[in-house]
C-alpha cells in the first residue's frame, strides 16, 4: 500500500497504525538480510509510537495524511537518541543529542520511524558500496546496485517495506536510487527543505527530500518537510504551497525536451521509454518543445569542483586518521585539498552565469524532461558500461544527467516510466523553475496517470 | 553648498545647473593640481548636460533633488564612452561600451557628472598611493593620505569640489576616506545597491555607495542608487524606502557601544571625540548600551581570506603580465593564488556563523557605534603608526574597524564627529541591521545635528 492508500485505510479503520508499523517491521525482518537497506531498526519505539497514534486517532486527533505512516530516514539524518552513522566509521556508534529538521517534522506529522537506511560512506562517492556497512542490493535484481547515495531508502521503498523514505541529494543522490529502483524521488528547490541535522557534505549543493512509491506521496511528504528554518540559513521564507496534485489539467504546459546532451549516449531502451512517457504526456495535453540546454558537461565539472572543495573543508579535520575512510572517499577528500581557492571562486562565478542561462531557458518552457540516468542499474562491482559503443565509467554515467541540477538549485523529480527488457526500472526526470514544485508535481502526476 | 542646499537654490532660481557645473569645474581646475583627486574631467559633457537640465527645469520637468547636482564617480565605475581606468595600467585607456548601474541611475536622476576620481590600483591595497596615477592628497593636509580606495572621491567632496562622489567599499573603501577626509560615507546593506558595471574585486564583499558632505545628502543619493537590478544577482527585491531623515525623534533607540575591541588601541583624541558624539546623541534621546562584539580580529582575517581568493580569481588571467601591476597589488594577487579552496570554504562557513552572532547582538541593540578608524590621516608614505604604545602597520590600523562589516554585509555610515588637535577629521561609524538604512540615516542625522 502506498502512503495515500494507507492514510485512507487508517481513516476507514481497515487498518491500525500499529498494524502498519508491524507490517513494515515484518518486511524488514524478512527482506533486510538480502537487501541490507537498513542499518538500524527502531522496532520498539515504532510500535510504542504507533500505539500512541492509534489512541490519538481514536480520540479524534488526526495529524493529517502522515499520521501513522511507517517510514525510514537515511542514516545521515540526526535522530535524537537513535544511532546516526552517516555510513561512516567515524560515527559508527554515534547517538546524536539533537534531531534533524526532517525527523522533527515527520514526528510532528505523526509518521512512524521504523529505521535508518544504509547509504554510501558520508553520502560521498556514487555507486561504490559502503566499505563499513556493506552494499545495498536492488530489489529488482539483488546482483545490481540500487544507486546512491540514498540507496537504502530507494531499496526500502522499492521493496515495499515502507511507502516513504527520506534521502539527501548533493549530486543526484535521491534521483539516482529512485531511477535505478523504480520509485519516485523528489529534490525540491535549494532552500525549500531545511537541512538542519543532515550531516553535511557539500553545503551549497545539498538537499533533503523523499523517496516514495507515487508522485502524490512525494507531494504529501514535501508539504510536511518544506518551510523556513532559522537553523538552516539557506531556507526560504516563501510560504509552503499545497503540493498535492489535484488532477487539474496540464493542457498547454510547455515541456522542453533537450535536443542536445540528454538523449545522447543513452541506452536505447531508456531513450524509448522516456520518449514513450513524453508521448503519453503529450496525449494528456502538455506541449513538447525541443530546446537546447546549456553545456551540462561543463556544469557537471563545476559541480564537482564545488563539491570537492566543500566536502574536503568539512572533512579535513579527520584526514590525519586515514583508517577512518574507505579508499574511494579518501581519494576524493584528498583531491579536494589540492584545489586552489581561485578555482572554487571561479566555479561559483560560473555557477551564477549558468543560473542566468537556465532562467532564460525557462522563459521558453515551463519544465524540462530528460531521462534521469542514461542506463539502468549496473551490476554490483561493475566499473565500466558501454553506451552506444562508448565506454564510460559507471560513476560518471550515473551522475551525468542529475548532478548539474544541484548546481543550479532547481526542483527536480524522478518518476518511473518503464522497464528495460530485463525488467529493470527506467526513470523520467522533470525539472522546474525555482519554487515551482506545485507545477512540477502536477505534471509528474499527470505523466504517472497517463502511464498507468 | 551641499546637495540639499544646491537643490533648494536651483528651485529658487538663485543658481542654474550650468552655474553649479561651472563652479565644480572651476574648483577642479584650481585644486586638482594639488589634490590629484580626478583622473578624468568631463567638462564639455557636463556643461552640455547642465544646459539641457536647465531647459528641463524651465519647462517644468523636475527630476528631483539630484537634478542638476554636479557629482563625481570613482574611476572603477563604468561610464559608457568615458575612460574608466580602474586605477590600473590594464585599463589606462579603456573606454567602456556600457555604463554602470550607479552612472545610469545618477544620469536618470539628473545629476551632472563632472569627472572620474582617482583610486587605489584596482581598488585593492588600502593606504598605498596609486603607482600608475599618483597619490591623492588629503584636502585637510596635503602631506597626508585621504585614505582609500575611494580616496579621490573623499578628497573631491572634502575640498568642496562636488557635494557628492560615488565610491566602492570592499573592506572599508568608502568609510575610510570619509573618516580621513571629514565627509559622510555610506555603505548600504550588501545587495541594496547594484554593483553592475563596478569593476569587480571581491564580489561577495563589494558595495557601491556615496560620499557626501551631510547625512541628508547621503540619504538622497542612496534613494536614487538603491533597488533591484537583474544584472547584479546579489541585489534585493525589497522595496526602496524613503531614506531622507525627517527629524523624527530618536528617543529610546538603543545604541550599542562596544566594550571590547573598538575603543582599544585607539588614539586618545579619536576616542574622546567619538565619546563626545555619543554623549551628544544621548542628550538627543538615544539610549547607550554597553555591548560585547564578536571577535572582530578573527572576522578581519576571514574577510582577508575571502578577498584574497576572490580578487586573485578575477585577476589570475592577467598575472602573466606582471609589469601591469604595482608591487603592493601584485603581492596580494600572488598571495591569493596559494590559498587552498578549503580555506575559502571554511572562511565562508565562519562568515555565516558570524552573521548569526551579529543577528543575536542586534536583538539587544538597534545600532552599533564605533570609531570609524583608530587614527586620523597618516602622512603620505608613513608605514607604521604607534597607538597607545603599540606599533602597528598603517594599513592594518586603517582597516581594523571597518573590514569585518563587509563580511557581515551590514549597512554602515561614517560621519564626521570632530577633529584632532592638528585639525584632522575624526569619523564616527554607525552600523545597523540589514536593510535598516532608514533608521541608520535617521540616527546619523540626529548625531550630526546634535554636533553642529
Amino acid at each position: 500500500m502506498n502512503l495515500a492508500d494507507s492514510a485512507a485505510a487508517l481513516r476507514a479503520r481497515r487498518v491500525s497504525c500499529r498494524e502498519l508499523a508491524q507490517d513494515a517491521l515484518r518486511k524488514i525482518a524478512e527482506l533486510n538480510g538480502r537487501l541490507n537497506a537498513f542499518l538500524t531498526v527502531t522496532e520498539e519505539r515504532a510500535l510504542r509510537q504507533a500505539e500512541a497514534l492509534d489512541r490519538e486517532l481514536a480520540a479524534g486527533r488526526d495529524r493529517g495524511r502522515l499520521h501513522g505512516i511507517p517510514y525510514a530516514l537515511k542514516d545521515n539524518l540526526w535522530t535524537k537518541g537513535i544511532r546516526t552513522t552517516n555510513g561512516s566509521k567515524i560515527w559508527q556508534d554515534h547517538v546524536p543529542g539533537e534531531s534533524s529538521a526532517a525527523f522533527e517534522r515527520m514526528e510532528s506529522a505523526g509518521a512512524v520511524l521504523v529505521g535508518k537506511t544504509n547509504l554510501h560512506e558520508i553520502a560521498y562517492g556514487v555507486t561504490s558500496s559502503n566499505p563499513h556497512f556493506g552494499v545495498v542490493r536492488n530489489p529488482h535484481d539483488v546482483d545490481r546496485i540500487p544507486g546512491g547515495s540514498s540507496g537504502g531508502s530507494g531499496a526500502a521503498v522499492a521493496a515495499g517495506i515502507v511507502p516513504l523514505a527520506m534521502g539527501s541529494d548533493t549530486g543526484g543522490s535521491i534521483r539516482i536510487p529512485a531511477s535505478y529502483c523504480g520509485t519516485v524521488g523528489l529534490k525540491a528547490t535549494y532552500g525549500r527543505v531545511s537541512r538542519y541535522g543532515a550531516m553535511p557534505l557539500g553545503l551549497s549543493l545539498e538537499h533533503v527530500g523523499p523517496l516514495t512509491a507515487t508522485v502524490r506521496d512525494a507531494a504529501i511528504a514535501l508539504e510536511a518537510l518544506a518551510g523556513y528554518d532559522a537553523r538552516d540559513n539557506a531556507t526560504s521564507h516563501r510560504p509552503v504551497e499545497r503540493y498535492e496534485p489535484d488532477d487539474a489539467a496540464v493542457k498547454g504546459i510547455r515541456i522542453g525536451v533537450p535536443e542536445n546532451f540528454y538523449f545522447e549516449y543513452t541506452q536505447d531502451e531508456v531513450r524509448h521509454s522516456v520518449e514513450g512517457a513524453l508521448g503519453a504526456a503529450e496525449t494528456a495535453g502538455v506541449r513538447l518543445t525541443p530546446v537546447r540546454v546549456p553545456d551540462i558537461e561543463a556544469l557537471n565539472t563545476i559541480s564537482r569542483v564545488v563539491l570537492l572543495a566543500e566536502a574536503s573543508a568539512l572533512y579535513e579535520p579527520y584526514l590525519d586518521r586515514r583508517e577512518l575512510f574507505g579508499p574511494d572517499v579518501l581519494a576524493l577528500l584528498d583531491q579536494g585539498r589540492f584545489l586552489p581557492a581561485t578555482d572554487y571562486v571561479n566555479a561559483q562565478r560560473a555557477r551564477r552565469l549558468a543560473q542566468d542561462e537556465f532562467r532564460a531557458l525557462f522563459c521558453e518552457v515551463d519544465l524540462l524532461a530528460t531521462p534521469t540516468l542514461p542506463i539502468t542499474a549496473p551490476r554490483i562491482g561493475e566499473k565500466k558500461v558501454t553506451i552506444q559503443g562508448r565506454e564510460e565509467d559507471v560513476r560518471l554515467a550515473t551522475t551525468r544527467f542529475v548532478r548539474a541540477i544541484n548546481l543550479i538549485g532547481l526542483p527536480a523529480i524522478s518518476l518511473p516510466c518503464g522497464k528495460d527488457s530485463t525488467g529493470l526500472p527506467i526513470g523520467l526526470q522533470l525539472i522546474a523553475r525555482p519554487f515551482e514544485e506545485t507545477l512540477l508535481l502536477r505534471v509528474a502526476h499527470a505523466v504517472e496517470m497517463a502511464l498507468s
Side-chain angles (χ1 to χ4, degrees), chain A residues 24-170:
Chain A
L25 292 163
R26 193 176 54 244
K27 285 180 188 151
I28 295 176
E30 183 189 321
L31 299 172
N32 202 44
R34 267 158 70 90
L35 299 178
N36 194 27
F38 284 83
L39 296 181
T40 302
V41 183
T42 50
E43 180 157 3
E44 271 182 56
R45 185 184 190 282
L47 292 174
R48 217 168 44 235
Q49 188 192 359
E51 284 161 16
L53 288 161
D54 276 326
R55 286 192 297 273
E56 278 190 17
L57 267 192
R61 182 170 178 218
D62 187 338
R63 301 187 187 212
R65 313 270 245 141
L66 288 161
H67 192 125
I69 301 296
Y71 81 106
L73 289 170
K74 184 175 179 177
D75 206 26
N76 63 350
L77 295 163
W78 278 350
T79 40
K80 185 176 170 179
I82 300 165
R83 183 177 75 144
T84 303
T85 66
N86 200 18
S88 166
K89 205 167 172 176
I90 304 172
W91 294 285
Q92 60 186 352
D93 302 311
H94 177 63
V95 177
E98 289 191 66
S99 288
S100 54
F103 183 42
E104 283 175 359
R105 288 181 181 238
M106 285 297 113
E107 283 283 290
S108 74
V112 176
L113 181 74
V114 297
K116 305 290 298 283
T117 57
N118 202 348
L119 69 163
H120 290 145
E121 183 182 6
I122 69 168
Y124 210 9
V126 177
T127 61
S128 62
S129 76
N130 188 305
H132 315 297
F133 299 96
V135 68
V136 180
R137 291 170 183 276
N138 192 315
H140 292 273
D141 177 347
V142 291
D143 292 331
R144 294 181 184 266
I145 60 168
S149 61
S150 314
S153 290
V157 173
I161 296 173
V162 281
L164 167 66
M166 292 300 158
S168 65
D169 189 321
T170 306

Side-chain angles (χ1 to χ4, degrees), chain A residues 13 84 90 156 158 167 170 216 276 284 332-333 347 355 379 407 409 435 450 452:
Chain A
R13 303 283 190 271
T84 303
I90 304 172
T170 306
R216 182 181 299 282
L332 287 167
L333 291 175
Q355 284 166 335
R379 284 177 209 289
L407 191 74
F435 297 100
S452 69

